[in-house]
Amino acid sequence: MFNISVLQEPETLESAVAMLKADADLRVIAGGTDVLIRIQHGGDGWSRLLSLRNIKALEAISLREDGTIVIGATAPFAKIFLDPIIRKHLPSLAEAAVSMGGPQIRNVATIGGNICNGAVSGDSASTLFALEALLKLESEDGERIIPIHEFYAGPGKVHLRPGELLTAVLIPRSSYQGTGGHYIKFAMRKAMDIATLGVSVICRVQDGRFEDLRIGLGVAAPVPIRCAEAEAYAKGRPVTVATCQEIGKLAVKATKARTSWRASKDYREHLVEVLTERAVLESAKRAGDLHAE
Ligand SMILES: Cc1cc2nc3c(=O)[nH]c(=O)nc-3n(C[C@H](O)[C@H](O)[C@H](O)COP(=O)(O)OP(=O)(O)OC[C@H]3O[C@@H](n4cnc5c(N)ncnc54)[C@H](O)[C@@H]3O)c2cc1C
């Protein structure tokens, strides 16, 4: 039995933020794939819920005139995977979307829930880091837009203020135009498993050289990370296997991997090196200019 005493189901964002302001004990539920498990396990403080399901405007995916892609926070992963805007402009996010859960989970689990649960293994996180996504957060007191890397506070923790909702994920045109990208999820089995490591790469290649490279890693540290040293090394270097191997090695330096029952620290570091190299090579190929030696 689920111990739910109140279920608010507002139809507009305005009424949702007003309800959250009026009742500090209300907790947000979107797809419920994390929340319902928490409640089933007895989850203290989760008996008064505000559901986002009836706010249809929050599900939309659109392309603004200035080229910004707007992904509504309650867009489920199945919709993200199938959406023509995402498939055309953000194919690595489509790869991440289809890698999570199974069909039933992808039909209900939302991108907003994947971000707001703060899980470092969330399949959207590394790609959204590589894409330098912005998060739109709204409450009765107004809205703020922050880079995704400022949102993650620690394992399972995010900087969501009281009464605040994540309403959209924004990807500016400058983050994706002319790029190639690739997401690799490494898990113990091919489906229905949480990532042991998630690697997502976005790059631009000009005349056979890396113009821009962004590497997002999930499960390589307590929060999703970028790999500054590896990214800086790549700039201006030829797109060769040797360059990609060095990028893989440098990516390990950014990590703070730890041993867990899923994998040892050494194994995770090995995965970071090898899978980053692979993801960079494939992204460069997709960017259209590979001169592998
Ligand atoms: C069988 C199974 C398999 C799974 N496999 C994967 C997997 O492969 N990869 C993966 O990444 N995850 C996986 N998950 C975890 C889960 O499905 C995802 O994290 C999912 O994206 C959560 O989204 P949701 O809409 O269901 O979130 P919910 O459960 O509704 O909410 C999650 C958290 O986010 C908060 N929240 C949700 N939306 C908002 C919002 N818009 N604003 C503010 N706060 C909000 C809630 O209050 C809650 O704290 C799996 C879960 C199950 C049950």
Side-chain angles (χ1 to χ4, degrees):
M1 270 304 275
F2 292 105
N3 177 21
I4 297 170
S5 59
V6 169
L7 179 62
Q8 298 284 12
E9 296 180 286
E11 291 183 6
T12 63
L13 178 59
E14 293 68 31
S15 40
V17 291
M19 286 173 183
L20 286 173
K21 175 118 182 174
D23 183 348
D25 291 333
L26 276 183
R27 308 295 290 264
V28 174
I29 181 168
T33 58
D34 287 323
V35 167
L36 290 175
I37 289 175
R38 192 190 284 252
I39 295 173
Q40 198 181 28
H41 290 172
D44 265 1
W46 283 86
S47 71
R48 300 172 72 80
L49 299 181
L50 178 133
S51 167
L52 301 179
R53 279 176 72 107
N54 288 344
I55 313 177
K56 293 300 168 205
L58 279 188
E59 262 189 42
I61 298 173
S62 62
L63 180 61
R64 280 191 197 150
E65 247 174 53
D66 69 358
T68 303
I69 295 171
V70 182
I71 307 169
T74 63
F77 283 100
K79 176 176 172 141
I80 291 171
F81 172 63
L82 293 172
D83 186 84
I85 297 169
I86 303 290
R87 293 178 83 101
K88 179 171 178 195
H89 298 290
L90 309 176
S92 56
L93 185 62
E95 281 178 322
V98 79
S99 78
M100 77 86 64
Q104 295 93 335
I105 292 291
R106 289 196 290 274
N107 276 336
V108 289
T110 67
I111 191 163
N114 203 239
I115 298 168
C116 290
N117 69 18
V120 69
S121 58
D123 274 304
S124 65
S126 45
T127 303
L128 294 177
F129 267 59
L131 284 167
E132 299 185 323
L134 302 171
L135 303 183
K136 188 172 176 188
L137 301 152
E138 296 186 64
S139 71
E140 270 254 296
D141 302 327
E143 72 166 56
R144 61 185 178 119
I145 293 179
I146 60 165
I148 191 164
H149 69 265
E150 289 179 13
F151 193 58
Y152 283 79
K157 292 197 184 112
V158 292
H159 292 293
L160 196 62
R161 295 176 182 161
E164 205 170 46
L165 284 173
L166 171 63
T167 54
V169 178
L170 312 175
I171 317 286
R173 192 208 301 262
S174 57
S175 295
Y176 67 84
Q177 194 173 42
T179 63
H182 185 38
Y183 175 65
I184 299 178
K185 173 177 182 168
F186 185 91
M188 294 304 170
R189 52 184 190 197
K190 285 199 186 304
M192 293 293 279
D193 201 359
I194 297 297
T196 305
L197 183 75
V199 180
S200 200
V201 170
I202 295 287
C203 73
R204 281 192 185 90
V205 172
Q206 182 72 44
D207 300 327
R209 290 178 183 271
F210 285 107
E211 192 183 85
D212 182 21
L213 177 73
R214 286 169 263 147
I215 304 165
L217 298 180
V219 214
V223 293
I225 53 167
R226 289 272 299 276
C227 303
E229 197 176 337
E231 294 176 10
Y233 169 85
K235 273 211 176 133
R237 291 196 191 261
V239 178
T240 61
V241 169
T243 305
C244 296
Q245 281 170 343
E246 187 59 23
I247 292 168
K249 285 196 177 75
L250 289 173
V252 178
K253 288 193 174 183
T255 65
K256 288 197 181 85
R258 65 180 183 91
T259 297
S260 75
W261 65 268
R262 266 180 218 283
S264 68
K265 177 177 187 291
D266 287 352
Y267 186 54
R268 276 186 213 276
E269 289 179 348
H270 171 71
L271 288 176
V272 169
E273 180 178 337
V274 172
L275 297 184
T276 300
E277 180 196 331
R278 279 186 209 166
V280 173
L281 267 170
E282 183 59 27
S283 303
K285 230 185 248 172
R286 292 179 184 185
D289 228 339
L290 180 67
H291 297 270
E293 284 168 3

